[in-house]
Structure formats: structure tokens, C-alpha cells
Amino acid sequence: MRKKLWIWQTILLVLLFGFWHVATHPDLIPPFVWDNPNRAAFFFGEPVKIFQVIGVWFTGGEIYPHLWVTLQETALAFVIGSVAGLVIGLWLGLTPFASALLDPYIKAMNAMPRVVLAPIFMVWFGLGIWSKVALGVTLVFFIVFFNVFQGVKEVSPVVLSNATMLGASRRQLLRYVYLPSATSWVFSSLHTSVGMAFVGAVVGEYLGSAKGVGYLIHMAEGSFDINTVYAGILVLTIFALVLDFAVSFAEKRLLVWRPTQGETEPQL
């Protein structure tokens, strides 16, 4: 079943790129669609030229320093934001008074459009990687924090009562009840967090940087090189998928106790 699904997904991908190629190539697009046959390629790029740009980047080695900087920023933002969200989410979930005290401030910070903080972070940390990491952390933190907080709140009172009656200490409750409950919510949020970490890194590079894939995209936009812009977007998308796959792999390893969908559905 999985092999058949992969085949159909590959066919769909080939069809999408085939349609993109036909719809943007000046010699293939029907003349009644655009007044100027080059207009579609100007707005949407041409897949063949985009792959040529990617090929030159990887064979010539130009992309590696920029990709390394973007991946460093993404990984640091992802790890720091996830750990901070996990620790503070657990702490507030287990401390009702602190949760009630800080509730309006957390909601206010979450409602703030955090992209506007990018110029402030550049003033604080400069144009290096740490201003991008700081922006990515603000994007990742609240996603993980709210999921962990909710995971702790969703722990069954019956399970807690039974564990307490059996003599479980506070540390044992944290290790065997709260953390497993929060872990499931954490991994559901990490998939979104990976994308947010990439957004923080690329937006930061886009606004002010001398290295990174976001910087390459910004430079290409300045010269109206749409094929290079799409090439940068495609490279970032592929690496975001690779990181998401790594998170899924870790999730399968750490959540082996969780029943699969087929096991929880009633048998008809």
C-alpha cells in the first residue's frame, strides 16, 4: 500500500512540474493566454531553468556556505525555542498560581506580531546568526509552550489519583504521568515548529544579512531573477521536509507506547 502511494505521489509531482513547464515556456504556452509569451516565465519562472540554477549551486559549491548558515540558524532556533517552551510549559502547567499570574502577559506576547521584532534583534545581536536565531525562537517557543501547557492540563485526573494512591512521588508523577502526556502534544507541535524556525531564519536573512539562503533570495529579487528566487524557495522546502522527516522518525521512536490509528478504531 505504501509503495503504491509513493508511486502515485511521484506521478502527481511529475504532473505538477510538467504543467508548470508547459504553462510557462514561451514556445509551449498558447498565444491567446498572454499578450507577451515571456510574461508567464517572468512571473512564475521556468522549472528547467530553476533546476539548472540548483544544479549550478550544488555542483559549483556556491550554495553550501549559505545553506550551512541557514541550517545553523534554523537548528538553534528550533532547539532553543522547543526546550524553552517545554520547560516553561511544564512549569506553568504544574504551578496554577504562576500560570494565573502570568496568563495575561503570555497572551499579550503571543498576540504580538513577532516579525516586527526582527529589526530590534538586529540592533541587539547584530547582523550575524543570533539575531535570526532570536526571531526563530520567538516563533517556535509559543507553539511548543501552549501544546505542553495543554498536554499537562489534559492529564486524566483518574490516572493522577491512581498514581498518587499507589504512592507515586511528585518526581515520579512528572516522569511517568506528566511528561508522557506532554510528549505527545510536543511532537504534534514540533512539525509546525520546524517550519516556523525556517521562517524566522529566512525572514531575518531577508531583512538584513550577508549570508544564508534568504540572503540569496533577496539578492535575486533585487535583480528580478525569478528563477533564482524559486530555486531558493525549492531548496528551503526540500530541507524543511528533511527536518520534518527527522522529527517524524524521532516521534516514532519515542512514542512507541501510543496506539496507532488502526488500533484505536472499532473493528466493523
Side-chain angles (χ1 to χ4, degrees), residues 65-66 69 73 122 126-129 131-132 204-216 218-219:
H66 297 284
V69 169
E73 294 163 353
M122 288 179 189
L127 296 177
I129 67 170
S131 56
K132 289 76 181 174
E205 291 169 355
Y206 191 86
L207 293 177
S209 179
K211 278 188 178 179
V213 181
Y215 166 76
L216 286 180
H218 180 61
M219 296 299 291

Side-chain angles (χ1 to χ4, degrees), residues 8 34 44 73 117 129 175 186 202 204 232 239 245 252:
W8 278 109
W34 299 94
F44 302 106
E73 294 163 353
L117 296 174
I129 67 170
R175 180 177 179 182
V186 167
V202 174
F239 275 87
F245 176 78
K252 286 181 181 176

Side-chain angles (χ1 to χ4, degrees), residues 37-263:
N38 293 309
R39 183 166 296 179
F42 178 78
F43 285 115
F44 302 106
E46 295 180 67
V48 174
K49 293 182 180 178
I50 291 169
F51 285 115
Q52 286 175 348
V53 172
I54 294 174
V56 170
W57 277 351
F58 280 93
T59 55
E62 180 189 354
I63 190 69
Y64 296 119
H66 297 284
L67 196 57
W68 173 239
V69 169
T70 302
L71 289 178
Q72 275 183 298
E73 294 163 353
T74 302
L76 286 170
F78 180 69
V79 172
I80 295 173
S82 300
V83 171
L86 175 64
V87 172
I88 298 177
L90 271 175
W91 173 59
L92 289 184
L94 297 173
T95 316
F97 177 74
S99 171
L101 178 67
L102 299 177
D103 181 65
Y105 302 101
I106 292 171
K107 287 181 178 175
M109 286 189 290
N110 184 45
M112 183 189 305
R114 291 182 288 280
V115 175
V116 300
L117 296 174
I120 298 174
F121 290 141
M122 288 179 189
V123 173
W124 290 355
F125 302 108
L127 296 177
I129 67 170
W130 290 108
S131 56
K132 289 76 181 174
V133 172
L135 180 61
V137 167
T138 63
L139 296 174
V140 171
F141 170 78
F142 285 100
I143 297 173
V144 178
F145 167 76
F146 282 114
N147 276 276
V148 172
F149 185 75
Q150 190 65 30
V152 173
K153 292 292 183 185
E154 292 287 329
V155 172
S156 170
V158 177
V159 175
L160 277 177
S161 300
N162 291 339
T164 306
M165 281 192 298
L166 290 172
S169 64
R170 187 172 176 81
R171 178 176 294 181
Q172 288 171 326
L173 285 177
L174 177 65
R175 180 177 179 182
Y176 296 110
V177 179
Y178 286 113
L179 277 177
S181 174
T183 303
S184 182
W185 290 75
V186 167
F187 276 102
S188 67
S189 67
L190 291 186
H191 294 283
T192 309
S193 302
V194 169
M196 288 293 104
F198 251 117
V199 168
V202 174
V203 169
E205 291 169 355
Y206 191 86
L207 293 177
S209 179
K211 278 188 178 179
V213 181
Y215 166 76
L216 286 180
I217 293 174
H218 180 61
M219 296 299 291
E221 280 188 351
S223 58
F224 297 99
D225 186 355
I226 195 69
N227 291 314
T228 303
V229 172
Y230 278 108
I233 294 171
L234 199 58
V235 168
L236 288 177
T237 303
I238 292 169
F239 275 87
L241 287 174
V242 171
L243 285 179
D244 187 73
F245 176 78
V247 171
S248 299
F249 181 78
E251 182 181 14
K252 286 181 181 176
R253 292 282 182 177
L254 293 175
L255 299 181
V256 291
W257 51 269
R258 188 175 63 179
T260 61
Q261 185 179 3
E263 293 172 341

